[in-house]
Amino acid sequence: MKHGFREITAQLKRESRQVDGGIRAARAIGLQLFDLRRRKSEADQRVERARDRLESVDVFALRAELEAALAEQASIDEKLSELQGANVLMAG
């Protein structure tokens, strides 16, 4: 009787391993769908975070800050040029 039990057990194991190609394909597609849905969720979250960060930035204030910094930079460059020119005249 043990011999029959072992044969039945072995047969059940073989049958469980012999999965139809359609079932394998369905499993593969299911795994791909799961992975793509997970990746889409992550991408959606990244887009939302980026959108929130972008909306929190005041572009007009940044532009005004940049223009003020550029004006200060130009003013300093002009003063440097004047002093360097005066220094050359004094040395000469």
Side-chain angles (χ1 to χ4, degrees), residues 23-72:
I23 293 173
R24 286 182 202 264
R27 286 180 184 168
I29 290 171
L31 289 173
Q32 288 176 342
L33 285 171
F34 176 80
D35 185 53
L36 286 173
R37 287 182 181 129
R38 181 187 54 80
R39 290 174 50 200
K40 169 117 173 58
S41 175
E42 290 171 356
D44 290 347
Q45 290 173 2
R46 284 188 13 234
V47 166
E48 191 61 32
R49 283 192 305 267
R51 184 174 285 133
D52 289 345
R53 287 178 54 208
L54 182 62
E55 289 174 356
S56 70
V57 173
D58 185 354
V59 176
F60 296 110
L62 285 174
R63 185 175 301 278
E65 184 180 339
L66 175 62
E67 289 174 359
L70 288 171
E72 182 181 6

